[in-house]
Amino acid sequence: MAQFTRVSRSVGLITLQNPPVNALSAVTRQGIVDAVKSALGDPKVKSVVICGQNGIFCGGADIKEFGTNITGPPLVPMIHAIEASNKPVVAAIEGSAFGGGLELALGCHYRVAHSKAKLGLTEVTLGLLPAAGGTQRLPRLIGVPAALNLITTGRHVTAAEALQLGIVDQVTDHNTVDEAVKFALSVAGKSLDARRISTYPCPRPSDVDALFEEVMQKVRQSARGAIAPIACVQAVRAAATLPYSQGMEREQELMATLFTSGQARALQYCFFAQRAVGRWSMPSGARWDTSKPRSIRKAAVIGLGTMGRGIAVALAQAGLSVVAVETQEKQFTEAKKMVSGMMERGAKRRGTAPPLDKITYSQNIQAVADVDLVIEAVFEDMALKEKVFQQLSTICKQGTFLCTNTSALDVDHLASQTRNPELVVGMHFFAPAHVMKLLEVVYGPRSSPQAVATAMQLGKKMGKVSVAVGNCRGFVGNRMLKPYLEQALFLLEEGATPELVDGALEEFGFALGVFKMSDLSGLDVGWKIRKGDGLVEPGLASGPSARIRQGRRYSPLGDLLCEQGRFGQKTGQGWYRYDKPGSRVARYDPWLHSFLEEYRTQHGIVARRMDQQEVLERCLYALINEGFRILEDGIAAGPEDIDIIYVFGYSWPRHRGGPMFYASMVGLAKVLKRLEHYHQAHPDIPYMQPCNLLRRLVASGSPPVHKWKEAIKKLRSQL
Ligand SMILES: CCC/C=C/C(=O)SCCNC(=O)CCNC(=O)[C@H](O)C(C)(C)COP(=O)([O-])OP(=O)([O-])OC[C@H]1O[C@@H](n2cnc3c(N)ncnc32)[C@H](O)[C@@H]1OP(=O)([O-])[O-]
């Protein structure tokens, strides 16, 4: 709702009241319409201020209303009525003005913002466009190039940038509503002819066609198949080329196609899923709202390789005191230099001072004696990690949480090396750890709810999206990646090329296909793990057993490349050729293609033609099938956890909502049918055998994704 009061005798104050973010729900819109009517009808009111309660102006349209039968007054005429008012209306922007919230402010005649406020037309991130006049007003106010930048990316701007761009008229460090009221008093009675943005001519760039062609090309490239950014460009083009009323018609037309699209549903699902993962639960019944985290002031990082350095930077940037420990002399010296450089670059980007004094370095593990929490990030070797955990257990003060950054090893086994296994959890960061948003918080059977709550809270403090998951080999992300990588290799054996597989995955929306991604991360990483698992047999052996390990189909293709010293980008050769070691542009490699042919001949495989659909189905459905197994095993509490891990950690295209959401969009019955088909064709690939849970969900009528948690609970209780 919205409340109307009169302040300073002649200022009508309209306060949006819809906690927590004053979203423009049907009731709130009705409240605004009524309050505006009261303000305009009250002869004592000479000017008006619109603000939001609880320090936030407005979080935009109510996203929960999308996909329902929307009632109440529509936004566009409501904003037009405000703009058409003959009394000046001032928006008092505190906290956030996003999406429809900023569009409401653009309908006002003046905008006063608090210096800490953030503004943005964020609709594109939800698969929409600013369809409350935002695509037509913003370019008129700040020019086409700046508006295109904001609208196609949905980025948040600070109040200072908003002032510089001309979006707001005044920025204050004081009480925003008081300042806006003073402003409103000062403009009462003044002409509003030059303050109605919809009446401004849109500044026309000198060569409209060339500008929009160039922008469209760039947007298509970065959109990775998302349709909303493209519609945003089209809508802004209408602002630049058509009169306002026709531009508005175009805006509504484009919005109509986006509004009901699967992409909008996927992106809005991601928005809520990102928030839902914070409400974690464990199979023991422990939950986010009943487990109290401990506050962490001082933390330590053990091991300053790539991961440890990133983690140390992320901790320091979150304001913690950090003890960074590295016992190897060469790595120690190098790491100190690198960490400082990373902090300086980060601080320069943010325009702040680098928190260099937050980190103390030591070559002695005893330096961690008084910290509240340790994150171990030594080399991925169980014997080494066991030793570190045994040491930590004796060195650290009572109650210190001991966390491991392992990406796959058994967290419970590490806990068993300590005196207090309840204090041990996994904190699995993704490289580069100071940049990537995802954190898997891994609990073992003995991890205490407080340890999980503390790691989750620390993740949040570090600006991460943290997801609590159970302990198993590879946890959620890497466990699901294994069948995906494996399918890609099998496809190569059967006749595909890296170019075909990567092309299909990139067209689907991944930033990089599986082979380009492997080249980037280094092929030797997986090789070492496979060696440790006893899977690698040197040489190009022939005969049927050469492609079977531990009773199941195995492709040694990756091992054979590593034997040749082809580790990917770092060696200049992998699944592709690079101009020099470290180069990033993947080029077709004739050697690789003859190698594949030779391999197939040696193993008596007749290459067959395959299409993009088979590539996608085999890679993605194998990964999704493992996702269902993870849900069945209770390793992830719900599909949202898996989807957020994939969107934030594995570049799964957000506009496809994550693998489990995607499966629900494709249709569970179809996914099941195709898995059955591929399992029949390849009975030696156990990952293709449809998971029981998937079968049971299909048998129970394929409930929508938001009902899976409930359905899984019900299915469990029937066992
Ligand atoms: C149609 C014409 C064109 C217009 C289109 C639009 O405006 S599209 C919209 C464009 N707007 C945007 O893109 C802005 C989207 N919102 C945000 O970016 C952030 O919420 C924030 C920065 C406003 C506050 O951040 P913060 O960290 O302080 O808080 P938090 O993020 O944890 O949220 C708290 C609770 O509020 C909920 N909720 C939030 N917003 C909405 C909403 N609009 N609606 C409904 N609910 C919303 C959120 O789910 C959560 O609920 P939970 O989990 O407690 O049940």
Side-chain angles (χ1 to χ4, degrees), residues 20-21 59-63 98-100 122-123 126 131 271-272 275 279:
V21 301
D62 186 343
I63 308 166
F98 289 146
T122 49
E123 286 91 337
L126 297 162
F271 176 84
F272 290 115
R275 282 146 184 91
R279 297 188 280 271

Side-chain angles (χ1 to χ4, degrees), residues 7-262:
V7 296
S8 299
R9 294 223 287 274
S10 65
V11 178
L13 181 66
I14 297 174
T15 310
L16 311 191
Q17 294 178 328
N18 184 16
V21 301
N22 298 320
L24 298 165
S25 63
V27 175
T28 311
R29 295 194 307 275
Q30 187 61 58
I32 298 173
V33 168
D34 294 344
V36 169
K37 212 165 157 191
S38 305
L40 300 187
D42 183 342
K44 294 202 186 88
V45 168
K46 304 292 177 216
S47 54
V48 180
V49 168
I50 301 183
C51 66
Q53 74 171 6
N54 298 334
I56 173 163
F57 180 69
C58 177
D62 186 343
I63 308 166
K64 290 193 185 95
E65 276 185 358
F66 297 164
T68 66
N69 185 18
I70 299 180
T71 56
L75 270 180
V76 170
M78 182 189 98
I79 294 172
H80 272 143
I82 292 170
E83 192 186 55
S85 134
N86 53 9
K87 298 178 185 178
V89 184
V90 183
I93 301 173
E94 286 179 292
S96 316
F98 289 146
L102 180 53
E103 291 175 280
L104 168 64
L106 291 174
C108 298
H109 306 109
Y110 300 93
R111 286 153 294 279
V112 173
H114 190 268
S115 55
K116 294 218 168 85
K118 292 271 171 69
L119 300 88
L121 290 179
T122 49
E123 286 91 337
V124 71
T125 64
L126 297 162
L128 304 173
L129 54 77
T135 65
Q136 304 305 300
R137 284 197 180 88
L138 194 65
R140 284 177 162 77
L141 184 64
I142 65 172
V144 170
L148 273 170
N149 173 274
L150 260 60
I151 292 173
T152 58
T153 61
R155 81 181 172 87
H156 298 175
V157 298
T158 59
E161 188 181 351
L163 183 66
Q164 199 183 18
L165 286 168
I167 299 176
V168 299
D169 304 286
Q170 186 181 311
V171 173
T172 178
D173 286 325
H174 304 291
N175 182 303
T176 317
V177 177
D178 291 351
E179 291 302 309
V181 168
K182 271 192 229 158
F183 195 103
L185 286 167
S186 75
V187 292
K190 286 199 178 155
S191 162
L192 293 173
D193 290 348
R195 301 302 313 177
R196 296 187 178 101
I197 300 173
S198 71
T199 64
Y200 296 2
C202 186
R204 209 180 147 91
S206 56
D207 190 341
V208 179
D209 289 338
L211 172 85
F212 278 95
E213 208 167 294
E214 191 187 327
V215 171
M216 190 59 103
Q217 221 169 18
K218 271 197 202 145
V219 167
R220 270 191 213 286
Q221 221 164 36
S222 59
R224 298 200 261 142
I227 54 174
I230 291 163
C232 286
V233 178
Q234 291 168 327
V236 176
R237 190 189 168 105
T241 53
L242 298 172
Y244 175 76
S245 60
Q246 285 176 35
M248 282 302 287
E249 277 171 26
R250 183 78 179 119
E251 183 188 273
Q252 298 308 307
E253 244 171 56
L254 289 162
M255 178 65 158
T257 37
L258 295 180
F259 200 70
T260 49
S261 69

Side-chain angles (χ1 to χ4, degrees), residues 704-715:
V705 70
H706 65 274
K707 296 244 166 91
W708 288 8
K709 244 187 200 173
E710 212 179 291
I712 294 169
K713 221 166 150 186
K714 207 162 135 201
L715 290 174

